[in-house]
């Protein structure tokens, strides 16, 4: 004997299932659904801003329910810009979806994931937007990653220029960037290491923020420009670093193909090697953090010009034991002064470099101590007293 559900209960269940499974398609081809398939919370508007038409998709809920857009192709090329926003903190998720557009902006909690593809002229990721899970973003011009937006988990970004402005510590995490130029404008990115970022670029430009090359990584970009911020190398950099400012930190066991510095600080935090010349010009400064650290020049040389300088934290080390360079091929060094520093970074005197026939560059035996502030004050008082006696 079969048991039949009351007709009213059966109707309610069927109606509920239909609501849960309901989807609808926008004019651009987006297949959309909410967790409870409530279409009224999906905002689709067209606005005009500065003479440009902008198509906006917005999740209008304020209870953190997700708008899912999946398994579709969305063609927004008929608009100057396509923008997806989450002004009330309820996420919008794109999954297994292809988006075609001109300028595309994700702003807020927008998740572009699950092998989705975005093809546009310019792309801007703002707010807490994330590209992840093998999703791919391709721009013929510029991709800008700002706010706390992130590129994570096997995602890839390709563009002519990629500007990294995100303040997230995971701005690029286990993901890959490919571009003619990658600019760091405030982000912190680690190539290799625990964050496993990969950058393929003709030029990497560090303006602010920090770029770290981990001990297990090789950076093979054609050129690196350091204008500000920090570049920390624990691995291998196979291109010349052109410095106008900022700080380059060379850690123990690292290698750098060449350095051309007209400004900024080069901080030696351990023994490292050069596979090209080290050019110190302008007001660039080479700072040895410890008297035990040595740069292996590998048959290359240091070239000095302008107001460039070398400083050494001597500590308790004996001057006669200090070897700053090995592998120097000719004498460009003798007579060049090195400023000696105490543990607090205060100058304690100067000493001249000495080139040796075995290619080492050491320090002369006699340092010239610089007068302290107290000594200068006493000298000034003595001079004043002398003038008064003469009167």
């Amino acid at each position: 004997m079969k048991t039949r559900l009351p007709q009213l209960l059966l109707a309610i269940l069927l109606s509920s299932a239909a609501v849960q499974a309901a989807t609808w398609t926008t004019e651009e081809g987006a297949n959309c659904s909410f967790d409870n398939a409530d279409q009224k919370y999906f905002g689709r508007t067209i606005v005009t801003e500065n003479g440009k038409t902008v198509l906006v998709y917005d999740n209008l809920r304020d209870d953190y329910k997700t708008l899912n857009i999946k398994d579709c192709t969305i063609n927004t090329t008929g608009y100057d810009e396509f923008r997806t926003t989450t002004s009330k903190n309820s996420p919008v998720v794109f999954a297994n979806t292809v988006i075609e557009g001109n300028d595309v902006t994700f702003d807020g909690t927008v998740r572009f994931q699950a092998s989705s593809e975005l093809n546009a002229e310019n792309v801007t990721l703002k707010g807490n937007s994330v590209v992840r899970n093998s999703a791919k973003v391709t721009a013929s011009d510029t991709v800008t990653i700002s706010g706390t937006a992130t590129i994570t988990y096997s995602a890839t970004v390709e563009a002519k220029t990629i500007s990294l402005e995100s303040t997230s510590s995971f701005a690029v995490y286990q993901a890959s960037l490919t571009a003619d130029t990658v600019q760091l404008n405030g982000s912190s990115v680690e190539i290799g290491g625990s964050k496993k970022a990969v950058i393929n670029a003709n030029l990497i430009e560090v303006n602010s923020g920090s770029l770290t090359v981990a001990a297990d990584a090789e950076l093979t970009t054609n050129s690196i420009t350091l204008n500000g911020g920090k570049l920390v190398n624990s691995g291998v950099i196979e291109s010349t670093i052109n410095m106008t400012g900022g700080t380059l930190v060379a850690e123990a066991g690292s290698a750098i193909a060449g350095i051309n510095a007209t400004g900024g600080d080069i901080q030696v935090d351990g023994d490292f090697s050069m596979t090209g010349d080290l050019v110190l010009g302008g007001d660039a400064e080479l700072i040895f953090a410890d008297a035990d650290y040595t740069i292996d020049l590998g048959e290359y040389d240091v070239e000095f010009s302008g107001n460039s300088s070398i400083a050494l934290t001597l500590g308790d080390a004996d001057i006669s034991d200090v070897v700053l360079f090995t592998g120097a091929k000719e004498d460009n060094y003798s007579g060049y002064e090195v400023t000696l520093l105490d543990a607090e970074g205060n100058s304690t005197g100067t000493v001249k470099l000495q080139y040796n026939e075995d290619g080492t560059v050491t320090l002369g035996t006699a340092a010239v101590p610089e007068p302290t502030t107290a000594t200068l004050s006493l000298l000034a008082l003595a001079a004043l007293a002398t003038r008064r006696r003469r009167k």
Side-chain angles (χ1 to χ4, degrees):
M1 181 176 179
K2 295 182 180 180
T3 302
R4 295 183 178 179
L5 291 172
Q7 290 186 347
L8 178 60
L9 177 58
L10 181 60
I12 291 173
L13 290 175
L14 290 174
S15 174
S16 175
V19 170
Q20 291 292 337
T23 61
W24 64 95
T25 303
T26 69
E27 294 178 20
E28 298 77 36
N31 298 324
C32 307
S33 66
F34 279 101
D35 288 346
N36 67 350
D38 199 338
Q39 184 172 349
K40 68 181 180 180
Y41 291 111
F42 170 56
R44 177 189 178 276
T45 56
I46 300 171
V47 298
T48 301
E49 296 178 356
N50 300 319
K52 295 183 178 181
T53 57
V54 183
L55 171 66
V56 182
Y57 283 4
D58 194 1
N59 189 343
L60 302 177
R61 299 188 70 105
D62 58 5
D63 55 3
Y64 299 95
K65 293 290 187 179
T66 300
L67 166 63
N68 292 294
I69 300 176
K70 57 185 179 180
D71 304 325
C72 56
T73 296
I74 307 173
N75 187 348
T76 68
T77 56
Y79 303 90
D80 295 311
E81 180 183 352
F82 171 55
R83 185 185 306 157
T84 299
T85 65
T86 59
S87 56
K88 295 185 178 180
N89 298 317
S90 294
V92 174
V93 174
F94 293 94
N96 298 311
T97 288
V98 175
I99 298 177
E100 302 286 343
N102 296 309
D103 290 354
V104 175
T105 299
F106 293 156
D107 187 3
T109 309
V110 182
R111 301 167 186 162
F112 194 71
Q113 61 189 40
S115 302
S116 294
E117 295 184 16
L118 168 57
N119 302 297
E121 183 176 349
N122 297 290
V123 176
T124 301
L125 306 179
K126 303 169 66 176
N128 297 316
S129 299
V130 56
V131 177
R132 64 186 184 186
N133 302 122
S134 301
K136 182 177 181 180
V137 173
T138 303
S140 59
D141 196 349
T142 302
V143 172
T144 302
I145 304 167
S146 61
T148 54
T150 57
I151 309 295
T152 67
Y153 298 120
S154 301
T156 60
V157 175
E158 297 180 5
K160 182 178 180 181
T161 301
I162 299 175
S163 178
L164 298 173
E165 304 169 14
S166 170
T167 57
S168 171
S169 58
F170 292 89
V172 183
Y173 180 74
Q174 297 184 9
S176 176
L177 308 180
T178 300
D180 290 339
T181 302
V182 172
Q183 299 174 337
L184 269 74
N185 295 312
S187 293
S188 297
V189 177
E190 180 183 33
I191 297 175
S194 61
K195 296 183 178 178
K196 299 180 181 179
V198 176
I199 295 181
N200 301 298
N202 291 324
L203 169 64
I204 296 178
E205 190 175 275
V206 182
N207 298 312
S208 59
S210 65
L211 176 64
T212 298
V213 181
D216 62 348
E218 294 185 9
L219 185 57
T220 58
T221 185
N222 290 339
S223 180
I224 300 173
T225 298
L226 181 59
N227 298 318
K230 181 181 288 187
L231 171 57
V232 180
N233 182 38
S234 299
V236 177
I237 296 179
E238 296 185 351
S239 59
T240 296
I241 300 170
N242 297 298
M243 291 182 62
T244 64
T247 301
L248 168 62
V249 180
E251 297 193 331
S254 64
I256 300 174
I259 302 173
N260 184 7
T262 58
D265 297 332
I266 303 168
Q267 184 173 317
V268 182
D269 275 7
D271 295 345
F272 79 96
S273 59
M274 297 288 303
T275 57
D277 287 332
L278 168 54
V279 180
L280 287 177
D283 58 358
E285 185 170 21
L286 177 64
I287 305 169
F288 289 81
D290 192 282
D292 291 333
Y293 299 156
T294 301
I295 300 176
D296 181 2
L297 296 173
E299 301 300 322
Y300 292 90
D301 269 314
V302 181
E303 299 177 11
F304 303 99
S305 64
N307 296 316
S308 60
S309 59
I310 297 178
L312 166 69
T313 301
L314 186 62
D316 297 328
D318 192 316
I319 286 177
S320 61
D321 295 331
V322 175
V323 179
L324 295 185
F325 304 101
T326 60
K329 64 181 181 180
E330 59 185 43
D331 188 2
N332 296 329
Y333 309 88
S334 296
Y336 193 90
E337 285 192 346
V338 175
T339 299
L340 303 178
L341 306 175
D342 61 20
E344 286 72 39
N346 300 312
S347 175
T348 60
T350 60
V351 63
K352 293 183 178 181
L353 292 178
Q354 177 177 300
Y355 174 80
N356 305 295
E357 290 184 0
D358 62 357
T360 61
V361 179
T362 55
L363 299 180
T365 56
V368 180
E370 293 187 352
T372 63
T373 301
T375 301
L376 290 172
S377 298
L378 289 173
L379 289 173
L381 288 172
L384 179 59
T386 301
R387 286 198 299 271
R388 286 179 175 176
R389 284 197 299 271
R390 286 177 179 173
K391 290 180 178 179

